[in-house]
Amino acid sequence: MSSDENYFKSNKWLLNDFPWLPSTKKVYKDIGKTNPIEFVKNLYELNGPELTSRIETIFVEAINNSEIIPDYEPDELNIQIYWMLRILLYILNNTQLTNRVANLYSKNALERLKAIPNKENLYWICEDLGLNIKSYFHNPQKITSRDYSNISLHYLDFIKLAEYLKDENRKLVNNSLSDGYVILTDPDLERLIQEYVRNEILNFEKARSEDTDKEDRAHLEKILLQVEDFKKTYKKIKALVLEKKEDLSIVSSEMISFKEGENLSPFFPPCVRVIYSKIERNENLVHNERLFLVFFLNALKYPLDEMINIFKMLPDFDESIARYQVEFAVRKAYTPHGCAKLETLGMCYKNDKTFGDEICRDGYYSKKQEKQLKISHPLSFVNIKKYRELRNKTFKNTKPQNLSK
Amino acid sequence: MESINFVKRLFQAYYKEQRDLFPSVSNLERREFAFIPWENNVMIRHLGFNSINILTNYILQNVPKHMYSSASLYELPDAPTMEYKNYMGCDLVFDIDADHLDTSCKETHDFWQCQACNNHGVGEAPLECDKCNSKKLSKINWICDECLEQAKEEVFKLINNFLEQDFGLSRKDCSILFSGHRGYHIHIENENLRNLKSQERREIVDYITGKNISLRVFGLKESGGGISRFNQYNYGWPRKIMLKLKDILLIEKKNDLRLELHQYIKDKDKIEKLIADKNDLIINITTQTQKDWDLLKFGYVTWKNLLLKIAKSIGADVDVPVTIDTHRLIRYPDSLHGGSGFKVVEINYSDLEKFDPFSDPVVFSHTNLQKLEITAPQVASIRVRDKTFGPFKKGEIQELPHDIAVFLICKNVAKIKRN
Ligand code: SF4
Ligand SMILES: [Zn+2]
Ligand SMILES: [Zn+2]
């Protein structure tokens, strides 16, 4: 038995709080050994109602782009919930949904990591994740006059974990690399562990083996649906996905996208128009604005050079930097922040005198769902605005014709 | 053709002599091989060899002009496309090429010629011919002690200041190859690095060149331009930058300091400001103060330009595409470079300092003579071993030792002259 495993055996609360830790599987290996149907059945028998409500909460919050799981309970059931997530995401096989759950769960994990009472546990967490680290808890390394490090991470692990993080703080060149290790503050390390969690969950959806993939999923779905309670949860999530389909598929192929010679900017939401107006006035953008704009334009499939041209108006424009940032965004194809996040960043301008828009304030009427819906993403704004324009156009075009006859 | 045959025969003689000495590379049977023949310049690639013997036989039979093997390993290196090769990983490779370095000698020894009107000139080629506006210009990039010395300097920077100091690699892990012409390859074979993806290699190479440095992250404030927590006690880049700035400021003679600073700052007033406050500055760099510091009326833009220029001088000038390409072909050790006739030489780190790129890679005789006619309008001088030849002018006829004769023919500036 490894020393980690012993440590976690006597500190089970860590596993309960961070069920993605590899030691969870070892410490709870008896449960892990049972086959999925057995596992699911037992689980519902023992914890039915609570399990159902906690799993549903995760999916609801994930779809709503929340950052935290309400009433997160670091108990043993939490581990089983995590395992259920794996099963559910696998058979649901919906990339957007998996993304959302991965985002929510990993952001929540970050909050939990921040709250760890004794930071020395970060050492055990890193060890358990198999990260190549050095620790200095008894002799913290000074990084700057203000920041200290308790743990440094081998640069290869750093690069792997930071791969999809595009802010400049996460680039190796901007980090404290010495003798093969990146010397990190606890918050920076926690942010990287968050990435680990996100990647883990993104993998839930992946097939166990490519050939048997389809059958495997279908088969698992079939046998699990024999468990009544599971079926209920499963159906609920499916219904939820259907209801929020528009939200979830925000960057799907049906999405409006850039076409040569067409100007999309009249359909842009307030939050983007504000940034545009800054550019037009040759004002510099702050980092968040810049990134948001690139991701936003990229989601609308703006060509690279078109995006760089827009940045050319900035006073601190540096072609190579701009190109790098834009290329990065294109490659990574991140979804831009949703309204909730933008609001917390102070970047939402729905109530602005000049730029505000009633679509943002009052939402829109969904025919399909026969109800008024709120806007949750600036990209949906573009779709709705564009759709309205098309509708108005056809309306205007046909009406006079009808009259003239 | 006669000239080519002459060189090819000499290459053949060299390879024959090397037959039993020709080095193997690690995992030879997993590497893709490629050759460029003398007859045309079309690369023959996707070849695989199971043993060094089969490889040497191939070389003796074909006597290639250039010879390469892949930095990557494949299950089937001789499969006709990448898709079927089954990629198994790639060594980490850095390329330092005098061609990319900013040295002043280029203005004296590089040469271009218009293919349309034969107009020609010295130095870097213009975008188009200034006589006939043709864009078809042929270039001859020459080499000299200055540019190859600079290239060597970059190798030291790369290995000492980055690979060893920051990446914790040992200099023993770095194999250094002189490319046989304009530069050096540094090749790291390490199981842990083999599986790096292209994007991950870019992170490493960005670190080494200092590209995408964010002064904001290090503590330069965009508004106002003050500096916080950015000093010589940091790690990585901020430390390197501050140490270099301190070194500059410690230059004692004011005039020398002025001259040095002029390389980084154009504005004379700002230079004087820096000089006037240099003692305070040095204190700020050498103490771990919590307080922010700044120079009066120096400004963000000046700080930024100064620090970025310092960073640029610290970074090792490696050719980025080579490192991030995971299917790269690199020159084979001990093979001959068809563009110079020089040998690709593997160098121990401890021998690098005294390695002489105009002597150690030279394999042909300095006593056998050959009569040549210069065909290029003008040819800069070149040292081979301890003798300097040229400069030459078009039509000049010279009886030259084989070592320099091969070089001039390979550089395509001379041909064999029959009596
Ligand atoms: S509501 Fe959403 S789309 Fe509208 S301005 Fe705010 S963030 Fe942008
Ligand atoms: Zn011309
Ligand atoms: Zn030179």
Side-chain angles (χ1 to χ4, degrees), chain A residues 14-31:
Chain A
L14 267 171
L15 299 180
N16 295 343
D17 208 345
F18 307 113
W20 33 266
L21 284 170
S23 275
T24 317
K25 285 182 213 130
K26 293 180 211 141
V27 174
Y28 292 93
K29 53 177 169 277
D30 298 339
I31 314 175

Side-chain angles (χ1 to χ4, degrees), chain A residues 67-69 72 103-112:
Chain A
E67 315 230 310
I68 203 127
I69 302 171
Y72 184 82
N103 283 343
L104 169 68
Y105 208 95
S106 62
K107 281 178 183 164
N108 190 71
L110 177 63
E111 293 311 312
R112 303 299 302 181

Side-chain angles (χ1 to χ4, degrees), chain B residues 112-120 128-134 136-137:
Chain B
W112 60 271
Q113 185 169 14
C114 172
Q115 289 178 9
C117 75
N118 278 335
N119 179 26
H120 52 84
E128 51 176 51
C129 172
D130 54 8
K131 279 214 178 118
C132 75
N133 297 337
S134 164
K136 285 202 169 141
L137 307 176

Side-chain angles (χ1 to χ4, degrees), chain B residues 6 35 105 131 174 241 253 279 297-298 321 338 342 368 379 395:
Chain B
F6 164 75
F35 303 92
C105 56
K131 279 214 178 118
C174 308
I241 294 173
K253 286 199 185 127
N279 290 332
K297 300 241 171 84
F298 202 60
F342 289 0
N368 296 348
V379 174

Side-chain angles (χ1 to χ4, degrees), chain A residues 269-272 338-339 342-343 347-350 360 375 377-378 381:
Chain A
C271 46
V272 178
C339 298
L342 288 166
E343 214 167 332
M347 289 167 68
C348 168
Y349 284 82
K350 64 177 168 195
C360 293
I375 269 255
H377 204 284
F381 182 100

Side-chain angles (χ1 to χ4, degrees), chain B residues 249-307:
Chain B
L249 293 173
L250 284 173
I251 295 176
E252 269 181 42
K253 286 199 185 127
K254 260 203 184 146
N255 257 337
D256 293 350
L257 178 55
R258 243 177 229 125
L259 271 174
E260 178 70 22
L261 283 171
H262 192 67
Q263 293 184 37
Y264 303 95
I265 306 174
K266 294 286 158 262
D267 184 334
K268 290 220 168 76
D269 291 347
K270 306 246 166 168
I271 292 182
E272 294 313 314
K273 278 202 178 87
L274 206 58
I275 294 177
D277 275 352
K278 77 172 215 173
N279 290 332
D280 284 351
L281 232 85
I282 292 171
I283 292 172
N284 285 325
I285 294 170
T286 51
T287 45
Q288 303 196 50
T289 170
Q290 291 271 8
K291 275 183 279 166
D292 295 355
W293 48 277
D294 196 4
L295 274 179
L296 213 58
K297 300 241 171 84
F298 202 60
Y300 169 70
V301 176
T302 317
W303 269 123
K304 183 178 132 188
N305 290 340
L306 169 65
L307 298 176

Side-chain angles (χ1 to χ4, degrees), chain B residues 19-76:
Chain B
R19 159 167 246 153
D20 300 320
L21 306 168
F22 209 60
S24 177
V25 285
S26 70
N27 305 92
L28 181 114
E29 68 291 348
R30 291 267 162 267
R31 304 207 186 250
E32 179 196 351
F33 281 78
F35 303 92
I36 295 178
W38 291 93
E39 292 67 28
N40 54 37
N41 269 324
V42 183
M43 181 182 269
I44 305 164
R45 59 183 301 182
H46 307 303
L47 298 178
F49 296 94
N50 279 328
S51 74
I52 183 70
N53 282 337
I54 306 175
L55 175 64
T56 7
N57 282 338
Y58 180 94
I59 299 166
L60 281 171
Q61 247 167 45
N62 295 282
V63 193
K65 183 175 180 187
H66 300 282
M67 170 177 180
Y68 310 87
S69 67
S70 63
S72 348
L73 307 180
Y74 305 100
E75 212 172 311
L76 302 168

